[in-house]
Amino acid sequence: MAQYRAFSSTAEVLGQSVLAIVGGMENNRVRALELLAEQGLTPMEPHRWYAQQPVLDVFRNIFERIGPSTVRAIGRKVPEWAVFPRTAPGAIEEALQALQVAYETNHRNGDIGHYRFERTGPRSGRMVCVNPYPCDFDLGLVEAVAEKSRPLHSLRVRVEHAPGDCRKRGDEACAYAVSW
């Protein structure tokens, strides 16, 4: 199960979540709308459901034509655009665990994949992402959620790709080490 290939032909994404592509490309919104239009995803309506595969095709085009840093920037914008559960300030573990709830709220129909957070130490954990989105997207998403919810006593949060599997190589999952 590599990135850019929907797990189910019936999987759908909420338009509000897809609009994070425009948010992540804030310096080039016109290009973002062009890329969405190429896949028949315009006009984008926040409360409408869209097939997941064309959305993944947009991500592939962004990665190939613009680069991984833009894909990562889009991931960082998702918490601002998509429907996300509220968590208490400083509750980093709760926020990272809530990623699964957010994913299920913004996706439906068929196998959509999942996010799973596991604690690895007093101030560290591991986020395992099994979904068809690009690795760079999930890195940005996990960074944004972790930074937004970091405990007050932590000066910063660190998120990095953990050794091992990577969807860029065609593996089923990517894992990210999170420390705070």
Side-chain angles (χ1 to χ4, degrees), residues 1-3 5 165-174:
M1 293 186 204
Q3 55 189 4
R5 189 171 305 133
D165 292 351
C166 183
R167 290 181 305 236
K168 285 182 182 180
R169 295 190 306 260
D171 295 321
E172 179 179 286
C174 286

Side-chain angles (χ1 to χ4, degrees), residues 123 150-157 179-180:
R123 292 175 49 165
R150 74 174 170 75
L152 298 175
H153 66 273
S154 295
L155 296 176
R156 63 180 224 153
V157 172
S179 57
W180 59 90

Side-chain angles (χ1 to χ4, degrees), residues 3 8 15 24 57 61 75 97 103 111 123 159 166 169:
Q3 55 189 4
S8 172
D57 293 338
N61 288 335
Q97 289 168 346
Y103 190 59
D111 184 3
R123 292 175 49 165
V159 179
C166 183
R169 295 190 306 260

Side-chain angles (χ1 to χ4, degrees), residues 117 138 147:
F117 178 76
D138 275 337
E147 289 169 4

Side-chain angles (χ1 to χ4, degrees), residues 3-66:
Q3 55 189 4
Y4 307 120
R5 189 171 305 133
F7 293 175
S8 172
S9 62
T10 58
E12 295 179 311
V13 185
L14 186 61
Q16 188 169 337
S17 181
V18 179
L19 285 169
I21 292 171
V22 178
M25 294 178 66
E26 59 193 345
N27 294 330
N28 199 349
R29 289 178 187 259
V30 171
R31 184 70 176 128
L33 292 170
E34 289 171 354
L35 290 166
L36 288 165
E38 284 177 14
Q39 298 301 321
L41 297 171
T42 54
M44 180 60 56
E45 298 174 31
H47 301 293
R48 184 174 163 212
W49 291 92
Y50 296 86
Q52 186 183 39
Q53 188 56 58
V55 175
L56 295 169
D57 293 338
V58 170
F59 275 107
R60 179 191 312 268
N61 288 335
I62 293 169
F63 181 85
E64 291 173 354
R65 298 177 190 176
I66 302 170

